[in-house]
Amino acid sequence: MTPLTIPQLLATFDEWGDKPLFVTPDERLSYATADARSAVLARRFLAEGIGKHTRVAIVLANGSDWVVSFFALTRIGAHAILLNPFAKAPELAYAL
């Protein structure tokens, strides 16, 4: 069955293990590593008071940190607000 939500997707990561999830010329992130790193970050978010329905802006370039941050936020039920890291200050201020 195809996962329909991010939590459902994360639940499948055990079966994919060391297979690549995200690959660039400079980075390689496996399903297992993404799962482990996002779980750690999710616990940190919860410790800081970020939880279900909290809106959190992600202002990161495409990369493994973006993927891990997005998974961490969605696994705790927070809303990831995706902002352009190349936006100028007035654009970011307007979006926020």
Side-chain angles (χ1 to χ4, degrees):
M1 184 169 118
T2 302
L4 301 176
T5 66
I6 295 296
Q8 290 173 342
L9 175 66
L10 292 169
T12 68
F13 282 13
D14 283 342
E15 64 190 68
W16 292 95
D18 290 329
K19 291 182 181 178
L21 167 69
F22 180 83
V23 179
T24 70
D26 302 322
E27 296 180 279
R28 185 177 189 90
L29 183 67
S30 71
Y31 282 86
T33 302
D35 185 38
R37 285 179 52 194
S38 67
V40 169
L41 186 55
R43 285 191 293 276
R44 291 180 64 193
F45 285 147
L46 289 169
E48 292 295 325
I50 298 168
K52 192 169 188 159
H53 301 299
T54 305
R55 293 180 187 98
V56 179
I58 298 178
V59 188
L60 292 170
N62 293 340
S64 61
D65 289 339
W66 187 99
V67 172
V68 169
S69 297
F70 181 79
F71 285 162
L73 290 168
T74 57
R75 80 188 299 150
I76 62 173
H79 300 284
I81 310 301
L82 312 175
L83 299 177
N84 183 349
F86 300 107
K88 305 281 188 235
E91 295 167 318
L92 292 174
Y94 176 79
L96 294 171

